[in-house]
């Protein structure tokens, strides 16, 4: 019996390639940069499954080009690059990589929160520029993190991990989801708030909800104006949830007081992004899950999902499990 064919769209950690190689004939775009779209589509056309990064758009064009594909294994927990309803309509599975990146991403949210609150990047810039002035009682004042109130928008896996860090800082935790999360309320004494109330009451607003039609542009001038003058805003979700030009204007006016972003409307963000001219902004280049251990765990989970689906076993973390009922993963 011939093996199923898979295509891996980027160089990934070797343990994940080994998993695919053991069960499939496979092709790989063995490069750190994304494959050209036409090459990717040509490879997908000959494949039963693909392991992809968030940079690959999985849409109607892809589905038309790749009629054999039964599984799209995304190496990310967010799957806004995938048109899930279109896949489901054609009986194609999508999988993601939840859990394995939760703590690593929450660490970056926390790092941005601390850096913005205590002016770490601004402080370094001032020293490097030889502008470290004389000490005085009001020099470089920041915002207290310990004991403050944090509001988490999208308190799922990553948001809950942020909330745990906040509890260790003796913070009061507010959250806003579409549905209340009783386990969070019990385990972390988190209090539910309607969105606007959370914005008004929080010293720190941290966004960890996925990018969807509902959350696109969720933070703009109106929302920033509702925040406290001392508020710090952190986004580790996706760049599209923030109207970046409106954040620039809000930061110039000082409400919110500071912001930390790991994700941007356009990535890579251009070096003349006006955010970089603002002392009350800190940024990181989408490194939420960027440790070798976590990237290896993400890649191996994606590989296992791919192989399972192509060898007749249920994938570990399906995004559209309803496809499984009619799914034929027996291409071998
Ligand atoms: P998750 O466990 O699914 O949590 C997402 C939470 O958002 C859920 O609790 C959900 O609750 C809530 N939510 C969804 N739509 C909402 C809305 N319209 N308003 C308010 N809350 C909403 O996902 P996760 O594993 O924590 O990951 C979250 C996101 O983080 C991913 O989708 C990804 O985009 C991003 N991420 C970024 C990085 C990075 O490198 N910066 C790394 C990993 C993940 P309800 O369903 O009750 O609303």
């Amino acid at each position: 019996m011939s093996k199923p064919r898979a295509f891996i769209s980027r160089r990934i950690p070797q343990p994940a390639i080994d998993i695919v190689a053991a069960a499939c004939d496979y092709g790989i775009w063995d490069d750190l940069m994304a494959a050209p779209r036409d090459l990717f589509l040509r490879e997908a056309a000959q494949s039963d499954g693909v392991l992809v990064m968030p940079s690959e758009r999985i849409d109607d064009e892809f589905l038309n080009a790749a009629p054999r594909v039964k599984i799209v294994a995304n190496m990310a927990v967010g799957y806004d690059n995938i048109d899930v309803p279109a896949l489901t309509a054609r009986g194609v599975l999508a999988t993601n990589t939840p859990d394995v990146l939760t703590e690593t991403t929450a660490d970056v949210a926390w790092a941005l929160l601390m850096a913005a609150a205590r002016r770490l990047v601004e402080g370094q810039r001032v020293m490097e520029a030889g502008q470290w002035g004389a000490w005085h009682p009001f020099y470089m004042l920041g915002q207290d993190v310990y004991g403050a109130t944090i509001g988490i928008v999208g308190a799922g896996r990553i948001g809950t991990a942020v909330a745990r860090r906040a509890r260790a800082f003796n913070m009061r935790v507010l959250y806003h989801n579409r549905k209340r999360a009783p386990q969070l309320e019990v385990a972390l004494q988190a209090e539910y708030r309607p969105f606007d109330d959370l914005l008004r009451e929080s010293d720190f607003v941290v966004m960890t909800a996925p990018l969807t039609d509902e959350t696109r542009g969720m933070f703009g001038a109106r929302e920033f104006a509702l925040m406290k003058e001392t508020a710090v805003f952190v986004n580790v979700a996706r760049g599209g949830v923030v109207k970046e030009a409106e954040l620039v204007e809000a930061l110039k006016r000082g409400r919110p007081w500071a912001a930390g972003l790991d994700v941007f409307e356009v990535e890579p963000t251009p070096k003349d992004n006006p955010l970089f001219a603002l002392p009350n902004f800190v940024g990181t280049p989408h490194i939420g899950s960027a440790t070798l251990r976590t990237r290896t765990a993400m890649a191996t989970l994606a590989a296992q999902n791919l192989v399972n689906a192509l060898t007749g076993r249920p994938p570990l973390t399906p995004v559209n499990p309803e496809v499984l009922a009619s799914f034929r993963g027996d291409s071998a």
Side-chain angles (χ1 to χ4, degrees):
M1 220 158 50
S2 66
K3 287 180 174 176
R5 186 183 193 269
F7 182 67
I8 304 170
S9 74
R10 199 79 69 93
R11 185 179 305 161
I12 56 173
Q14 190 60 41
I17 298 176
D18 294 344
I19 291 170
V20 176
C24 305
D25 292 329
Y26 74 99
I28 181 169
W29 175 252
D30 188 17
D31 197 287
L32 295 176
M33 297 298 123
R37 178 78 172 168
D38 56 341
L39 181 143
F40 171 62
L41 293 181
R42 269 202 314 278
E43 288 285 349
Q46 307 164 41
S47 302
D48 302 298
V50 290
L51 192 162
V52 300
M53 315 292 124
S55 49
E56 269 76 62
R57 258 183 310 106
I58 304 298
D59 51 9
D60 274 328
E61 183 193 31
F62 168 89
L63 290 167
N64 291 335
R68 266 171 65 183
V69 163
K70 298 180 178 63
I71 159 111
V72 174
N74 209 33
M75 192 178 131
V77 66
Y79 45 84
D80 42 282
N81 57 316
I82 300 179
D83 184 345
V84 176
L87 267 66
T88 305
R90 300 204 201 189
V92 177
L93 264 170
T95 61
N96 65 346
T97 59
D99 300 318
V100 292
L101 46 57
T102 295
E103 300 298 339
T104 303
T105 307
D107 282 346
V108 165
W110 203 255
L112 286 170
L113 182 153
M114 296 290 291
R118 299 304 304 272
R119 305 170 73 164
L120 298 194
V121 175
E122 185 188 354
Q124 171 143 355
R125 281 202 194 121
V126 162
M127 290 189 296
E128 285 172 354
Q131 292 168 347
W132 182 357
W135 184 92
H136 63 74
F138 303 98
Y139 185 61
M140 275 272 162
L141 300 186
Q143 303 298 336
D144 273 317
V145 177
Y146 191 86
T149 297
I150 189 170
I152 297 170
V153 179
R157 288 171 292 248
I158 296 169
T160 298
V162 171
R164 259 190 282 106
R165 284 157 180 72
R167 291 296 295 154
F169 276 67
N170 198 30
M171 294 172 95
R172 179 168 166 238
V173 177
L174 312 179
Y175 78 99
H176 175 75
N177 288 1
R178 288 167 305 176
K179 303 181 291 290
R180 284 181 74 149
Q183 72 290 359
L184 197 62
E185 296 181 16
V186 174
L188 298 172
Q189 289 89 53
E191 300 166 38
Y192 178 81
R193 289 288 184 282
F195 185 48
D196 287 1
D197 291 352
L198 178 144
L199 299 178
R200 282 191 200 98
E201 287 182 51
S202 300
D203 300 307
F204 295 86
V205 176
V206 180
M207 174 57 167
T208 53
L211 177 63
T212 62
D213 290 345
E214 272 175 356
T215 62
R216 190 175 296 281
M218 193 169 182
F219 290 88
R222 188 194 80 89
E223 289 70 32
F224 297 129
L226 287 176
M227 293 180 188
K228 295 183 181 182
E229 275 186 329
T230 50
V232 172
F233 172 65
V234 172
N235 180 21
V236 292
R238 286 286 185 263
V241 303
V242 172
K243 293 175 185 154
E244 226 168 83
E246 295 180 21
L247 175 61
V248 170
E249 292 312 310
L251 285 170
K252 281 184 188 162
R253 281 196 294 271
R255 190 193 293 251
W257 183 81
L261 305 186
D262 184 46
V263 285
F264 295 82
E265 271 180 351
V266 175
E267 295 183 2
T269 200
K271 74 175 192 182
D272 60 356
N273 186 327
L275 285 169
F276 297 140
L278 303 176
N280 51 350
F281 165 78
V282 293
T284 43
H286 203 149
I287 57 168
S289 65
T291 68
L292 183 58
R293 188 172 67 172
T294 292
R295 286 285 158 79
T296 303
M298 291 163 67
T300 53
L301 176 54
Q304 201 59 61
N305 278 327
L306 178 80
V307 166
N308 277 16
L310 293 180
T311 56
R313 286 172 291 163
L316 301 170
T317 50
V319 167
N320 54 354
E322 61 274 30
V323 168
L324 282 169
S326 59
F327 183 70
R328 287 177 62 248
D330 54 357
S331 66

